[in-house]
């Protein structure tokens, strides 16, 4: 009789494991971030943790922490890059305040190596994030690898912002998105 009980218990465990596995597969995102994935706590990642220091003879090398967070939700604090010609759905975050004068300088700029390119999705993907000075907080899924961005720059680290509170402005308030034509350049010819 004991042998039968062991098999019965094993079968129940197998069925429960299978159900848990199929439920997990069903909740995987098919493109974009699922609400369940967005509730996973985000790991803190500082921009200063992107590359090993000091820089060695092989140049910049990503840290183990940065590589270990690929595909995971991370929260990053930094300064929004102030651009003359920001593109909808794309922002850049740096460890120090940076202003880019694309109209005057073209592609020559002073972006630090630890620049994070963040992609906005959903309702605000076609809008521009209004710049405000100060420390911003972005939360999303981390990607690594060289890729040309819509602004012509090549990124190494990217953050795909998820739909649950992905952006916090410097004063803790919600970010403001504007239509691209509303962005003013402060340049008068």
């Amino acid at each position: 009789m004991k042998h039968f009980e062991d098999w019965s218990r094993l079968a129940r465990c197998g069925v429960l494991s299978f159900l848990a596995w199929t439920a997990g597969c069903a909740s995987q995102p098919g493109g974009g971030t699922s609400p369940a994935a967005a509730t996973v706590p985000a790991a803190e990642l500082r921009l200063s943790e992107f590359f090993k220091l000091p820089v060695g003879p092989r140049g910049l090398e990503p840290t183990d922490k940065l590589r270990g967070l690929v595909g995971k939700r991370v929260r990053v604090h930094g300064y929004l890059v102030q651009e003359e010609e920001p593109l909808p759905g794309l922002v850049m975050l740096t460890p120090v305040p940076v202003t880019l004068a694309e109209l005057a300088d073209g592609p020559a700029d002073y972006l630090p190596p630890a620049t994070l390119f963040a992609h906005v999705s959903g309702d605000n993907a076609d809008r521009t994030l209004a710049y405000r000075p100060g420390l911003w907080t972005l939360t999303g899924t981390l990607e690594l690898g060289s890729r040309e961005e819509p602004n012509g720059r090549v990124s190494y680290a990217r953050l795909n912002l998820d739909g649950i509170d992905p952006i916090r402005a410097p004063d803790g308030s919600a970010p403001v998105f504007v239509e691209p034509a509303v962005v003013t350049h402060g340049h008068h010819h």
Side-chain angles (χ1 to χ4, degrees):
M1 189 69 159
K2 178 156 175 47
H3 183 65
F4 178 76
E5 289 173 10
D6 290 341
W7 277 107
S8 176
R9 188 176 329 175
L10 183 62
R12 280 193 308 256
C13 288
V15 169
L16 291 175
S17 295
F18 176 75
L19 291 174
W21 178 78
T22 55
C25 289
S27 70
Q28 293 298 314
T33 305
S34 71
T39 60
V40 172
E44 292 288 329
L45 177 64
R46 294 189 313 265
L47 292 166
S48 62
E49 296 174 313
F50 274 29
F51 299 107
K52 295 178 183 177
L53 294 176
V55 176
R58 293 163 41 147
L60 292 171
E61 295 180 69
T63 62
D64 292 340
K65 181 173 184 177
L66 182 69
R67 287 184 300 177
L69 290 172
V70 171
K72 296 187 170 98
R73 285 188 80 233
V74 297
R75 180 177 303 109
V76 184
H77 308 284
Y79 296 91
L80 203 63
V81 173
Q82 185 175 12
E83 301 176 81
E84 283 182 324
E85 296 183 329
L87 290 179
L90 177 68
V91 296
M92 294 177 285
L93 203 68
T94 57
V96 295
V98 173
T99 299
L100 296 182
E102 294 101 336
L103 297 175
D105 298 339
D109 57 43
Y110 298 102
L111 285 174
T115 297
L116 179 66
F117 288 73
H119 294 266
V120 179
S121 61
D123 295 339
N124 292 313
D126 295 330
R127 300 174 81 198
T128 303
L129 180 60
Y131 173 80
R132 278 189 260 173
L135 204 58
W136 288 72
T137 303
L138 304 181
T139 304
T141 305
L142 182 67
E143 283 184 8
L144 293 183
S146 293
R147 183 171 91 187
E148 186 170 348
E149 295 291 342
N151 62 6
R153 293 178 170 80
V154 176
S155 66
Y156 178 72
R158 285 168 303 286
L159 198 63
N160 293 314
L161 303 178
D162 50 41
I164 308 296
D165 196 30
I167 303 173
R168 277 280 159 223
D171 56 7
S173 66
V176 175
F177 284 90
V178 296
E179 297 301 321
V182 176
V183 177
T184 58
H185 304 297
H187 233 40
H188 302 286
H189 296 283

